Each structure stands twice: as C-alpha cells, then as structure tokens.
Amino acid sequence: MSVDHRRVPDQGWLADLRASLADDFATQTARLRELTELNADTGDPGEAHNQAALLLATRQNIEQITGALSRISDGTYGACQRCGRSIPAERLEILPHARFCVPCQEKQNR
C-alpha cells in the first residue's frame, strides 16, 4: 500500500497559518535576540539556569516553526512524518507544528 505524503489542506487555512507562523517566528527571533543580549552573568546560579532554559525553549520554538513552514512549502504539511497518514485538523489547530499523528507521537515519546 502506497502512502501519499503530499497533502493539500484548505488553501485559505494554510495561508492564514503561514502568516501566523511567520509572525510567531518574528516574535521568537526577537525574543532570542533579547535573551542573547541579556546573557550577562549576574552571579546568581538560579538566574543563569532560568536564562539557559528560556534560551533553549526559544530555540526549540524557532525550530518547530521553521519546520512547519518548510512542510507547508514542500506540500507535506499535515502528513505524519512517521506513518504518512493525515494528522487530524483538530491536532494541527492546537499544535500547528505537529510532525506526528497522536499514535506515532506516543511511540516517539517512549
């Protein structure tokens, strides 16, 4: 059985999503720039830990957004990267950067 990896979700929805993700990318990039500039050592280990966690989370957000934008561009957005089946629209609305359907995400998390 051949799995079609190219999906064509509603083009209006995809255009809105692309615009939203582009805005999120700009916001996260600005945040990363601010966090990097504020990376002064205060001597407080707790503050350094918080700063490192914020930097990591922001970089991960940028990576997820970039991945979703790439999948939209190449026509694979909405297809599970593990099994190739469609990711339900409800999941994509909640988690627009989702790469896996729920069953495959559960397997990935193990």
Side-chain angles (χ1 to χ4, degrees):
M1 180 167 114
S2 170
V3 177
D4 180 13
H5 293 282
R6 297 187 67 80
R7 304 284 185 241
V8 185
D10 176 76
Q11 294 303 307
W13 183 79
L14 270 181
D16 290 345
L17 177 62
R18 183 181 288 124
S20 175
L21 288 170
D23 287 345
D24 289 347
F25 180 83
T27 300
Q28 292 298 317
T29 302
R31 181 178 185 200
L32 182 61
R33 191 175 309 115
E34 287 174 19
L35 289 169
T36 303
E37 289 170 0
L38 295 175
N39 201 17
D41 186 6
T42 62
D44 179 359
E47 184 64 32
H49 177 74
N50 288 342
Q51 185 78 6
L54 286 171
L55 281 167
L56 178 63
T58 303
R59 286 185 178 120
Q60 287 174 336
N61 287 339
I62 290 171
E63 182 180 311
Q64 290 171 340
I65 292 166
T66 302
L69 287 168
S70 177
R71 290 188 300 281
I72 289 171
S73 292
D74 69 19
T76 60
Y77 184 82
C80 177
Q81 290 184 332
R82 187 170 189 171
C83 71
R85 290 186 218 142
S86 292
I87 299 171
E90 298 83 6
R91 177 165 171 75
L92 292 171
E93 287 173 9
I94 294 168
L95 201 64
H97 61 270
R99 296 175 20 217
F100 305 108
C101 63
V102 173
C104 289
Q105 183 66 59
E106 289 173 350
K107 290 175 189 170
Q108 186 79 8
N109 291 345
R110 288 186 199 150

